[in-house]
Amino acid sequence: MKKFNFRKVLDGLTAASPVGSSGGGSGSGAGGSVHPGGTAGAAGTPREEIQETLTSDYFQICKTVRHGFPYLPTALAFDPVQKILAIGTRTGAIRILGRPGVDCYCQHESGAAVLQLQFLINEGALVSACADDALHLWNLRQKRPAILHSLKFNRERITYCHLPFQSKWLYVGTERGNTHIVNIESFILSGYVIMWNKAIELSTKTHPGPVVHLSDSPRDEGKLLIGYENGTIVFWDLRSKRADLRAYYDEAIHSVAWHHEGKQFMCSHSDGSLTLWNLKSPNRPFQTTIPHGKVQRDGKKPESCKPILKVEYKTCKNSEPFVVFSGGLSYDKPCRRPSLTIMHGKAITVLEMDHPIVDFLTLCETPYPNEFQEPYAVVVLLEKDLIVVDLTQTNFPIFENPYPIDIHESPVTCTEYFADCPPDLIPVLYSVGAKHKKQGYSNKEWPISGGAWNLGAQTYPEIIITGHADGSVKFWDASAITLQMLYKLKTSKVFEKQKVGEGKTTAEIVEEDPFAVQMMYWCPESRIFCVAGVSAYVIVYRFSKHEVNTEIASLEVRLQSEVEDIITPEPETNPPFPDASSQLPSLKSLSGSTNTVACEGTMKDSIPCLSVKARPVRMPPGYQADLVIQLVWVDGEPPQQITSLAVNSAYGLVAFGNCNGLAVVDFMQKTVLLSMGTLDLYGSSDPYQRQPRSPRKSRQFAADNFCMRGLSNFYPDLTKRIRTSYQSLTELSDSPVSLELERCKSPTSENRENSFSRSRSSSVSSIDRDSKEAITALFFMESFARKNDSAVSSCLWVGTGLGMVIILSLNLPASDDLRHSEPVVVSPSGTVLTLKGAVLTFACLDCMGTLTHQPYEVWRDPHSADDGDKTRKRKLVMHSPSSSQDMGDHQFAVICSEKQAKVFSLPSQTCLYVHNITETSFLLRADVVTLCNSVCLACFCANGHIMTLSLPSLRPLLDMNYLPVTDMRIARTFCFTNEGQALYLSSPTEIQRLTYSQEMCDNLQDMLGDLFTPVETPEAQNRGFLKGLFGGSGQAFDREELFGEATAGKASRSLAQHIPGSGGIEGVRGAAGGVIGDLTRARIALDERGQKLGELDERTASMMASAEAFSKHAHEVMLKYKDKKWYQF
C-alpha cells in the first residue's frame, strides 16, 4: 500500500474547492484502501479515481413551455383559416393555442395589459393593442413569435382596432373619438384621419365619447361604420370623406354586429337592449328588444336589464340567424351566474358560466364577411376557464377541452416533478384515471386544430404531480413538453366531513381548506405515495388496479418538544431510545386511534384535527389509502405543521418531522416506532448547550409567528385566516405584501434570520434560531452509520433547521418472513454532522461517484386476484443497478443546506469538499439530479440565482441570476428533476417549465410546435351577375390609393412613434431559406433605409424652414435700409 501525505491531500482539496475550504477530521480519513483501477488512497483522494464529466458547457438556462390557463385574460382572437386561437392577458402575455401540443407563450416587454388582438388571417401574423397605447406586429411564422414592428401613440389612447380581411390597413379608434389608419406592412401611420368633429353633426354640442366599434360594410369596403360610446353611429364614406348617415340612440353602445348582406346591423346597449338598424331608415331602429327584460302588462317598454357587453349576429343559409350575446340579465336576479345567451329563431338558450365572461367569438365556416357565415361553435373566454360550445347540435353541448387548463381547479399548494421515471407508469395511471371522465361532451372534434407538432427526439417519460388546497392530487403526463392529466386522487375522502352543529369531537386548526396538501413524497418504482396535509396528518397510499372495500387504518402520534413530556412507560429509567421490548407497550398506548377524548374542561388533549372514516370505504382502482397518521393536540397545544416527509417501501417505514420533533412509523405493521422531540434525538451528542424547555418569553412572539399552521407562515400577519395565505400562493393580489415578502425580495436584510421563514417547495419551515429546532430533511439510505462500520446498513438521515445532521440506525428483521411480526428498532448511531443553515437535501454516491438509488420494493398489486398467498416474498432492490456489483468500502454523502453544500466520505465522516453557496441570501430548493449520465447538485436561491455544482467535488458549473422571487408561489413550487429540467408555478393558473441543459436548449426548436402551416385561403363564393351589378362597389375600392402617402400625405410624427421590433432578424431565421429569406432581409433593410430617409427628410425640411426664415429676415433688413445713405446709419 502506498503511503501519502495527508497535508498534501488537504492542500489538493482546498485547491479543488476555491470558494470553500476543506473541513473534517484530523486524520480520521487516513485509513487508505485499494480501489478499482489499482490506485491506492483514502477517501480523501477521490479526484484520482472519479472522472467528473460535467463541465459548464453542459449547462444553459432557458424557458421551454408554459402550461395552464392564461392568468387574468383580457382579449381573444381566432384565425378561421389557420384555426389557431390567441388570448391576451392583463400582465401583457399572449398565449397562442392550436391542436394539442401547439401552445406558445409570448410576453410584451412593457408588461402592459393586452386590450385587443387581431390576426392577419392566414398571413402568420398577429396585431396586439396594449394599454400603454402601443400596437405591436407579431411574426407567427417562427416557433417563438417575435415583434416585427411597434407603433406607440403619444397623444391619444387606443380604444378599438379593426383589420378587414385581406387588407393591410388597420383602423384604430381612440378615446378622443378619432379614427387613425395604420399600414400593417410598414407600421407607419397614414395621413388619412377621421376626426370626431367631422364625423358627427355640426349642430351636436357634446363629444360623442370614445370609439367603441369600427367595421367596414360587408357590402362595400369603402364604407366604415363607427360606433361611439354615447350611442352615436356614423356610416363614413372613405372615398368622399364624409358621413353617409348618422344614427342616434339614447343608451350607450357596447358592440355592433353586421348582417352579412351589409344592409342591417345590430347594436347592444347598456340597458340590456338589442337594436336592429336598417341603412335605408337610420332615424330609428326598426327593431328593439330587451331579451331578458320582463314584459310590462300595460304595454310599456320592458324594464331595463344589465348591459349586453357584446353581440354577434351570424347568418345561416338553411336556418334562422344566430344572435349570441353576453350579459343582459335582469337586475332582479342578482345571484344568477354570468351567462351567454344564444338566440336561434324563436328559441332562446341561456348558458350559465362558472366564472365571469371576458370575451367570446363565434367560429364560422368562412372568413369572408359578405357570405353566409354558417356558425358552428362559440369560444367563450372566462376569467378562469375556456369553453367551446357546439352550435351544430340543438342542446349546445360543449367540446371536451384537450388543453391542461384546469391546473387551478383548486389552488395549487405544492408540486413535484419526475423525469425519466419507469415507462409503465403513464399508461397505468391513465387507465385508472380514464374511468372517471365526464360524459355529455360534443362528439365533434376540437375546432381549434391549427399548427403542427411532432414528438421530437426527447422520449423519456415525465410526470408532474400537483397538490391542491381542496386535498386533491393530480398526476400529469409531462413527456415531450406537453401536459395531459392522467389521474386525480382526492385525499379528503379518508376523512369525515365535519357537519355544522355537531359536537366537536375533533379540533380543526384551520378555518378553510383543512385538507390542503402541504407535502408529497412519491416512489415511482414501488408506487408508494405519501401526502402530508395542513391539518398535521400523513396518508400512505398503495397503488392497486382492483377496487376494494375496506376500513382505513389510522394511528395517532403525540409530538412535542419538551423533554419531560415525551411519552415513555418509565421516563425515569428508560433512555430516549427504548429497546424493542420496552418500546412495544408504549406504542400500543400511542396507537389507540378512536378512544381518545378531551380532558375535562376546555383543554384539548390527544385529539386529532380531523376524524378518519370508521366505516368500510369503497376505494376505486388507483391509489388507495393504506394508513392515516395524525398528530394530536397535547395539553391544549395544537399539533404543528409537518415540515419534512420521507417514505421507504423496502423498509416499510414513513418518517415525518415538524418544529417539535420526529416520528417514524412502520406502515406494514401499523405501529409507531418513534415519537420524539428534536433535542432528544441527539442523546449525548448534542453540540449545543440548551435548556430543554420552551423558548424564552422574549422570543415567544417570534416562535409563535414561525410555528404557525398551514401555509400562512409566509405571512405572519395573516395567522387568523389560513385561507388568506393560500390566496397569497395562488392568487395574485394588488394589495401591499407583508414585510416578510419584501425581505424575501431583498434577502440581504440583516434581520432575515428572525423575519423570514426558511422556505423550500418540499417543506416550508419556520424556525427561530433561539427557539424550536425543526426537522427540515429526511432521507432513508443504505449507508455507514458510524465511523468504524465495515458494511452499509439501513439508516435514516435527519437534517434540522440548525444545520445538524443526525444519523439513526434502523434494525430491520433479518428475513422477510419476520417483517410483519418482528419489530423494527430505531436507535441513535451517535453520528452528528454540521452545516451552516437549515438542511435541505441529502444524496448518496457510491465509490465510483454514481448516484445510489434508495432501496425500494418492486411494485406488486396488494389486491391482486391471482395472489392467493398474501405472505409471498417481497421483491426488494437494495442498490441501484449501476452499482449493484459492489458498493465498495466507502461512499460519499452529499448534504446541502440553505447556505452551503458538503460532501462527506463514509464511513470515515471526513468532509472532503465544502462550498459556501451564498452568504447574503439562502437556498429555497436543492436537488441532486442526473444529467448526461452524470450527476450534479442543482440549487435555486432566494435572490433568483440558479446554480449547479459538480459532484463530488462541488465545482461551480452554472450560476445565473434568472428568476427573481417576486412571489411566494415561486418559492414554494420550484423544483428540479433529472435530465436538466425544472418547473415552478409562474401564476396561480400556470406552470412554467424550464431547462438548465445546453443539449435541451439546442434541441428546443425541434420540440416546439409550428404555429403557422401553409393553408390555402378558401375562395370567395361566386356572387352572381345581379349581386355583382347591384351589390355595391366594394371590389373597386383601392385602399392603397386612398390611404397611401401620395394621396393622404404624412401623419404628424408627434402623434405616434414607430419602433422597429427585435424580432426582425428572428423572423429571417424562422423564415424558409432561399428567396423568402432574401426577400425578408431586403424588406427589413428597406424599412431601416426608409426610416433613415424619413429622418433625413425631417432634417432637410427643418433646414429649409430655417433658410426661409433667414431669407425673409434678410429681405426685411434690406428694405428697411434700402433708401438710406451711408452717413445715416
Side-chain angles (χ1 to χ4, degrees):
M1 184 186 296
K2 290 184 181 179
K3 292 184 178 179
F4 64 95
N5 188 318
F6 191 71
R7 181 177 295 173
K8 288 184 179 179
V9 172
L10 291 179
D11 290 343
L13 295 180
T14 307
S17 184
V19 179
S21 58
S22 62
S26 54
S28 62
S33 59
V34 180
H35 297 287
T39 55
T45 59
R47 286 178 66 85
E48 297 175 11
E49 305 161 13
I50 299 173
Q51 294 294 323
E52 295 180 0
T53 57
L54 290 180
T55 64
S56 57
D57 296 336
Y58 283 79
F59 296 93
Q60 176 64 43
I61 297 181
C62 69
K63 292 179 181 177
T64 54
V65 68
R66 184 171 290 209
H67 303 297
F69 182 74
Y71 183 54
L72 300 175
T74 54
L76 186 65
F78 182 71
D79 186 325
V81 179
Q82 286 289 319
K83 296 193 181 302
I84 56 175
L85 187 80
I87 300 173
T89 74
R90 200 183 300 171
T91 57
I94 298 175
R95 283 282 289 283
I96 304 169
L97 304 169
R99 67 175 69 246
V102 178
D103 185 343
C104 182
Y105 168 80
C106 325
Q107 176 70 47
H108 292 93
E109 286 184 10
S110 66
V114 178
L115 297 179
Q116 200 176 348
L117 296 170
Q118 289 266 307
F119 275 105
L120 278 66
I121 294 174
N122 206 24
E123 295 287 336
L126 175 72
V127 174
S128 60
C130 296
D132 61 350
D133 307 307
L135 297 171
H136 306 277
L137 178 65
W138 294 83
N139 177 17
L140 306 184
R141 291 183 180 237
Q142 56 196 68
K143 293 192 174 184
R144 294 227 168 190
I147 293 176
L148 292 172
H149 298 284
S150 296
L151 188 67
K152 179 82 166 65
F153 280 74
N154 298 322
R155 297 192 309 218
E156 296 196 53
R157 308 219 65 181
I158 298 171
T159 55
Y160 195 87
C161 298
H162 170 64
L163 180 66
F165 179 46
Q166 294 182 325
S167 166
K168 67 175 185 179
W169 297 94
L170 175 74
Y171 301 114
V172 181
T174 69
E175 195 174 44
R176 292 187 181 178
N178 302 325
T179 302
H180 301 276
I181 299 168
V182 177
N183 186 309
I184 288 297
E185 290 182 349
S186 62
F187 242 56
I188 292 174
L189 211 56
S190 166
Y192 192 113
V193 184
I194 304 172
M195 304 299 287
W196 68 271
N197 53 353
K198 299 284 180 64
I200 65 170
E201 291 273 12
L202 293 175
S203 58
T204 307
K205 295 180 179 179
T206 56
H207 191 279
V211 174
V212 295
H213 178 82
L214 291 167
S215 61
D216 53 336
S217 166
R219 194 180 185 194
D220 184 353
E221 294 173 345
K223 304 287 178 67
L224 184 69
L225 190 73
I226 308 171
Y228 295 96
E229 189 180 61
N230 74 345
T232 301
I233 300 161
V234 175
F235 197 47
W236 183 264
D237 188 329
L238 292 164
R239 297 182 197 82
S240 61
K241 300 183 182 180
R242 62 181 181 81
D244 264 11
L245 62 88
R246 298 178 180 91
Y248 300 95
Y249 194 70
D250 54 3
E251 292 291 341
I253 292 175
H254 284 283
S255 71
V256 183
W258 279 101
H259 186 282
H260 83 274
E261 290 179 351
K263 298 175 183 176
Q264 301 172 359
F265 59 88
M266 183 179 286
C267 299
S268 71
H269 300 278
S270 57
D271 64 344
S273 64
L274 295 173
T275 54
L276 196 58
W277 301 76
N278 196 314
L279 293 181
K280 291 183 178 178
S281 54
N283 295 330
R284 59 187 179 85
F286 76 86
Q287 185 180 322
T288 302
T289 56
I290 301 182
H292 295 297
K294 286 185 178 178
V295 180
Q296 304 292 342
R297 291 181 181 177
D298 52 4
K300 291 182 181 176
K301 179 183 174 184
E303 61 182 36
S304 61
C305 296
K306 295 175 184 176
I308 294 178
L309 301 177
K310 183 175 181 179
V311 64
E312 294 211 337
Y313 186 20
K314 301 298 181 183
T315 53
C316 303
K317 198 168 188 177
N318 300 317
S319 69
E320 296 285 327
F322 280 89
V323 176
V324 185
F325 62 87
S326 61
L329 296 178
S330 60
Y331 282 105
D332 63 348
K333 295 181 180 176
C335 297
R336 281 190 70 171
R337 294 189 290 178
S339 68
L340 183 82
T341 304
I342 301 172
M343 297 170 63
H344 188 216
K346 294 182 178 180
I348 298 180
T349 305
V350 179
L351 304 177
E352 290 192 338
M353 305 294 167
D354 293 331
H355 309 285
I357 297 173
V358 175
D359 199 357
F360 73 89
L361 286 173
T362 309
L363 309 188
C364 301
E365 296 289 354
T366 176
Y368 295 93
N370 57 355
E371 297 176 355
F372 281 104
Q373 297 298 286
E374 304 296 347
Y376 59 89
V378 181
V379 179
V380 189
L381 177 64
L382 309 176
E383 276 189 3
K384 294 184 179 180
D385 203 357
L386 176 75
I387 66 169
V388 182
V389 181
D390 186 354
L391 291 181
T392 61
Q393 298 182 44
T394 53
N395 58 338
F396 303 132
I398 65 170
F399 289 86
E400 185 174 6
N401 198 319
Y403 308 133
I405 60 169
D406 57 346
I407 292 171
H408 62 287
E409 185 179 17
S410 173
V412 177
T413 52
C414 56
T415 57
E416 290 296 336
Y417 191 5
F418 298 86
D420 208 6
C421 47
D424 59 332
L425 278 174
I426 289 175
V428 163
L429 287 168
Y430 183 79
S431 66
V432 295
K435 295 172 183 175
H436 304 292
K437 294 252 173 145
K438 294 178 182 177
Q439 303 298 318
Y441 289 114
S442 170
N443 53 12
K444 300 283 182 68
E445 286 192 9
W446 182 250
I448 305 163
S449 56
W453 179 78
N454 54 17
L455 196 59
Q458 179 187 321
T459 54
Y460 53 83
E462 299 170 71
I463 290 178
I464 292 171
I465 308 177
T466 55
H468 299 264
D470 65 352
S472 60
V473 175
K474 293 180 181 178
F475 292 76
W476 306 83
D477 176 9
S479 309
I481 68 169
T482 62
L483 196 70
Q484 182 184 8
M485 171 107 131
L486 293 172
Y487 173 67
K488 182 177 179 180
L489 171 67
K490 295 180 179 178
T491 64
S492 60
K493 286 193 170 181
V494 304
F495 299 106
E496 297 282 4
K497 289 182 179 178
Q498 186 75 27
K499 294 180 181 176
V500 181
E502 276 189 0
K504 282 208 169 183
T505 55
T506 61
E508 293 187 8
I509 55 173
V510 291
E511 293 180 14
E512 295 181 43
D513 298 326
F515 310 113
V517 177
Q518 201 167 359
M519 237 173 290
M520 301 177 292
Y521 193 101
W522 190 43
C523 175
E525 289 79 12
S526 65
R527 303 186 190 173
I528 292 280
F529 182 64
C530 196
V531 297
V534 76
S535 296
Y537 62 81
V538 171
I539 310 175
V540 180
Y541 286 91
R542 289 182 183 270
F543 188 85
S544 174
K545 295 180 180 178
H546 303 279
E547 182 177 314
V548 66
N549 216 324
T550 183
E551 289 191 10
I552 301 168
S554 65
L555 291 174
E556 293 176 3
V557 177
R558 293 169 68 92
L559 198 57
Q560 61 186 58
S561 58
E562 287 78 8
V563 172
E564 56 268 34
D565 292 335
I566 298 299
I567 294 190
T568 50
E570 296 177 14
E572 295 81 10
T573 57
N574 279 17
F577 287 87
D579 58 25
S581 59
S582 64
Q583 192 175 1
L584 286 175
S586 70
L587 298 182
K588 300 296 181 186
S589 67
L590 280 172
S591 57
S593 61
T594 55
N595 299 327
T596 51
V597 293
C599 296
E600 65 272 11
T602 57
M603 180 174 286
K604 300 181 182 73
D605 188 56
S606 301
I607 301 177
C609 302
L610 301 169
S611 298
V612 179
K613 289 179 180 175
R615 61 186 183 279
V617 176
R618 185 189 74 84
M619 298 182 189
Y623 274 105
Q624 299 168 348
D626 188 55
L627 177 65
V628 180
I629 309 156
Q630 291 184 280
L631 294 179
V632 296
W633 288 67
V634 179
D635 298 332
E637 286 293 315
Q640 302 296 303
Q641 68 166 4
I642 293 167
T643 55
S644 55
L645 176 68
V647 190
N648 190 278
S649 56
Y651 302 161
L653 302 180
V654 56
F656 57 94
N658 61 13
C659 61
N660 283 337
L662 172 71
V664 181
V665 173
D666 182 341
F667 63 80
M668 293 180 71
Q669 296 187 28
K670 310 289 191 290
T671 56
V672 181
L673 302 179
L674 180 73
S675 172
M676 187 168 287
T678 311
L679 300 186
D680 304 309
L681 295 173
Y682 292 102
S684 59
S685 308
D686 187 1
Y688 290 95
Q689 296 299 317
R690 292 175 284 197
Q691 296 296 320
R693 290 298 305 164
S694 298
R696 298 191 304 273
K697 293 294 181 184
S698 61
R699 306 297 304 173
Q700 193 64 45
F701 173 73
D704 290 345
N705 240 357
F706 291 138
C707 297
M708 285 179 293
R709 274 70 64 197
L711 307 178
S712 55
N713 54 356
F714 281 136
Y715 292 85
D717 54 334
L718 300 178
T719 53
K720 291 184 180 178
R721 287 181 56 81
I722 193 163
R723 177 66 182 172
T724 316
S725 62
Y726 281 125
Q727 289 171 345
S728 70
L729 293 175
T730 55
E731 296 173 17
L732 194 60
S733 171
D734 295 330
S735 59
V737 291
S738 64
L739 182 62
E740 275 62 31
L741 180 54
E742 293 301 323
R743 283 173 179 159
C744 176
K745 290 178 182 175
S746 169
T748 54
S749 169
E750 293 179 358
N751 297 325
R752 206 271 309 163
E753 302 290 354
N754 297 327
S755 63
F756 179 71
S757 61
R758 292 183 182 83
S759 314
R760 63 169 180 144
S761 66
S762 62
S763 93
V764 182
S765 55
S766 306
I767 318 105
D768 191 86
R769 287 283 179 189
D770 297 335
S771 64
K772 299 179 181 180
E773 182 177 5
I775 307 296
T776 56
L778 295 166
F779 186 66
F780 287 103
M781 195 60 227
E782 292 287 296
S783 182
F784 299 94
R786 301 170 183 84
K787 280 189 180 181
N788 359 348
D789 284 0
S790 58
V792 295
S793 60
S794 304
C795 298
L796 172 61
W797 291 62
V798 181
T800 77
L802 295 184
M804 311 303 294
V805 177
I806 305 161
I807 303 178
L808 304 182
S809 292
L810 307 174
N811 191 356
L812 297 163
S815 68
D816 192 54
D817 299 336
L818 302 173
R819 180 63 186 85
H820 286 275
S821 56
E822 291 290 317
V824 177
V825 179
V826 183
S827 58
S829 66
T831 300
V832 177
L833 307 174
T834 61
L835 285 86
K836 189 195 301 181
V839 178
L840 296 182
T841 194
F842 298 102
C844 190
L845 310 181
D846 65 14
C847 59
M848 304 303 294
T850 307
L851 184 64
T852 307
H853 199 292
Q854 293 186 54
Y856 63 90
E857 175 191 359
V858 176
W859 176 77
R860 57 172 181 159
D861 198 323
H863 305 297
S864 177
D866 57 356
D867 183 17
D869 184 12
K870 290 291 180 185
T871 60
R872 70 174 174 142
K873 286 191 175 182
R874 301 186 302 148
K875 185 179 178 183
L876 304 182
V877 178
M878 300 309 285
H879 310 306
S880 62
S882 60
S883 57
S884 57
Q885 67 279 3
D886 184 18
M887 281 293 288
D889 57 0
H890 77 273
Q891 61 183 191
F892 303 107
V894 182
I895 310 173
C896 185
S897 76
E898 62 179 8
K899 289 288 188 180
Q900 66 179 189
K902 284 186 178 182
V903 174
F904 292 90
S905 175
L906 300 179
S908 67
Q909 298 176 16
T910 306
C911 179
L912 298 178
Y913 302 100
V914 59
H915 181 76
N916 293 315
I917 297 170
T918 176
E919 293 294 338
T920 57
S921 187
F922 55 98
L923 293 188
L924 295 166
R925 178 81 184 213
D927 290 293
V928 174
V929 294
T930 57
L931 177 69
C932 301
N933 298 316
S934 191
V935 63
C936 66
L937 175 65
C939 308
F940 175 50
C941 195
N943 60 14
H945 283 249
I946 293 176
M947 294 163 277
T948 58
L949 304 172
S950 70
L951 289 176
S953 67
L954 298 178
R955 286 179 297 110
L957 299 173
L958 171 75
D959 186 352
M960 186 178 288
N961 187 3
Y962 189 73
L963 183 66
V965 184
T966 53
D967 197 289
M968 286 299 104
R969 187 184 309 106
I970 297 172
R972 179 149 189 97
T973 57
F974 194 100
C975 52
F976 295 100
T977 188
N978 299 328
E979 307 303 331
Q981 301 217 59
L983 67 80
Y984 62 94
L985 218 67
S986 56
S987 75
T989 61
E990 294 167 292
I991 288 175
Q992 177 67 58
R993 290 164 69 179
L994 55 94
T995 182
Y996 49 94
S997 159
Q998 179 69 61
E999 182 184 6
M1000 189 166 178
C1001 287
D1002 295 340
N1003 297 332
L1004 188 58
Q1005 281 293 109
D1006 299 330
M1007 300 166 68
L1008 295 173
D1010 289 296
L1011 295 173
F1012 179 80
T1013 52
V1015 180
E1016 282 193 21
T1017 303
E1019 289 186 10
Q1021 293 176 6
N1022 189 358
R1023 304 181 72 205
F1025 174 74
L1026 292 175
K1027 281 197 175 180
L1029 193 62
F1030 302 109
S1033 54
Q1035 301 303 316
F1037 178 59
D1038 186 356
R1039 292 189 180 93
E1040 183 68 40
E1041 182 184 340
L1042 195 59
F1043 304 144
E1045 191 176 317
T1047 308
K1050 286 186 178 180
S1052 168
R1053 287 193 174 267
S1054 61
L1055 181 61
Q1057 176 190 0
H1058 176 261
I1059 305 165
S1062 58
I1065 301 303
E1066 284 287 326
V1068 173
R1069 290 178 189 151
V1075 179
I1076 297 177
D1078 292 339
L1079 285 172
T1080 314
R1081 290 186 194 92
R1083 178 177 286 181
I1084 292 169
L1086 280 171
D1087 285 346
E1088 291 172 354
R1089 184 168 174 268
Q1091 194 176 353
K1092 288 175 182 174
L1093 284 171
E1095 291 171 0
L1096 184 62
D1097 278 353
E1098 275 192 337
R1099 284 201 295 270
T1100 306
S1102 175
M1103 288 171 66
M1104 285 178 65
S1106 176
E1108 267 184 49
F1110 178 76
S1111 170
K1112 187 179 177 183
H1113 185 65
H1115 186 69
E1116 288 172 354
V1117 171
M1118 185 268 292
L1119 291 174
K1120 183 177 179 182
Y1121 296 107
K1122 183 175 66 170
D1123 298 325
K1124 292 191 178 184
K1125 303 294 183 182
W1126 62 269
Y1127 50 80
Q1128 291 177 315
F1129 287 107

